[in-house]
Amino acid sequence: MARMIIDEDAMRRAITRMSHEVIERNKGVENCVLVGIKTRGIYLANRLAQRIKDIEGQDIPVGEVDITLYRDDLTPKTSDHEPVLQGTDIPVDINGLTVILVDDVLYTGRTVRSALDALIDLGRPSLIQLAVLVDRGHRELPIRPDYVGKNVPTSKQERISAKLKEVDELDEVTIV
């Protein structure tokens, strides 16, 4: 049975709060870029960018990173057993910038580790920060988010389902 932990209003408030925290911690967003981890991280990064623009009146570049080739649990998705690549697209040179990685749910940390590897292959940012909508605990790697929409303690048997309007036609996070 699914139990709602974040509804549409709570998600909007979390994104607004996280946007303020990004601006405050970085003293603005002049040397920052948001990079969403495919798939839902991209939509959250776009929402953060829009909210930051609403607050600061300043655009922040938004990119996306495909971690498929960096996964340590890669499973073939095609008939020829090759992974399906969706591509990485970051509109600015990340060298010397603050990169804010964005994802929906942080669990073991392996997705973030893969994204870090992908970013380092692209350049040398001055700083990498992590923003997640939900931190559910159970880390297997020493990774900690800088910005969290909601901390949700879970058991390993539970599952978090994050849904976004852009993909799922509604905004909610449930625990099963």
Side-chain angles (χ1 to χ4, degrees):
M1 178 166 147
R3 177 173 50 96
M4 184 164 328
I5 53 176
I6 299 176
D7 62 14
E8 184 174 355
D9 291 335
M11 191 177 297
R12 187 186 69 257
R13 287 189 297 271
I15 289 169
T16 297
R17 180 177 37 77
M18 291 167 63
S19 299
H20 280 283
E21 290 172 359
V22 165
I23 294 164
E24 186 173 326
R25 180 172 296 176
N26 295 291
K27 298 174 179 55
V29 292
E30 283 183 26
N31 294 309
C32 297
V33 58
L34 292 165
V35 176
I37 299 174
K38 295 204 176 212
T39 296
R40 284 171 182 79
I42 298 163
Y43 302 114
L44 291 169
N46 284 325
R47 290 184 190 193
L48 284 165
Q50 183 57 55
R51 196 67 193 106
I52 287 168
K53 183 175 183 177
D54 294 345
I55 296 163
E56 281 290 280
Q58 185 174 0
D59 286 317
I60 181 171
V62 179
E64 54 192 60
V65 64
D66 180 0
I67 61 165
T68 304
L69 292 178
Y70 297 89
R71 299 290 310 219
D72 58 5
D73 60 348
L74 188 65
T75 53
K77 303 287 187 201
T78 62
S79 58
D80 62 1
H81 300 289
E82 290 299 316
V84 176
L85 300 178
Q86 298 173 326
T88 292
D89 179 24
I90 301 175
V92 295
D93 179 359
I94 64 170
N95 286 298
L97 294 182
T98 295
V99 173
I100 303 160
L101 268 178
V102 182
D103 205 7
D104 54 352
V105 179
L106 177 58
Y107 182 33
T108 63
R110 293 187 179 277
T111 297
V112 173
R113 188 220 33 97
S114 298
L116 291 170
D117 287 347
L119 282 176
I120 298 305
D121 279 353
L122 296 174
R124 192 176 194 299
S126 66
L127 180 64
I128 300 175
Q129 298 173 341
L130 177 60
V132 296
L133 182 60
V134 176
D135 181 354
R136 64 170 288 189
H138 302 288
R139 220 76 75 237
E140 294 174 3
L141 300 170
I143 290 173
R144 178 187 57 81
D146 298 279
Y147 313 102
V148 179
K150 185 174 182 78
N151 286 292
V152 181
T154 62
S155 75
K156 287 191 174 190
Q157 290 71 41
E158 291 174 309
R159 195 173 55 84
I160 298 281
S161 173
K163 295 184 178 174
L164 300 176
K165 281 183 181 174
E166 296 88 341
V167 183
D168 309 294
E169 299 177 9
L170 76 153
D171 283 340
E172 72 174 20
V173 178
T174 57
I175 187 168
V176 182

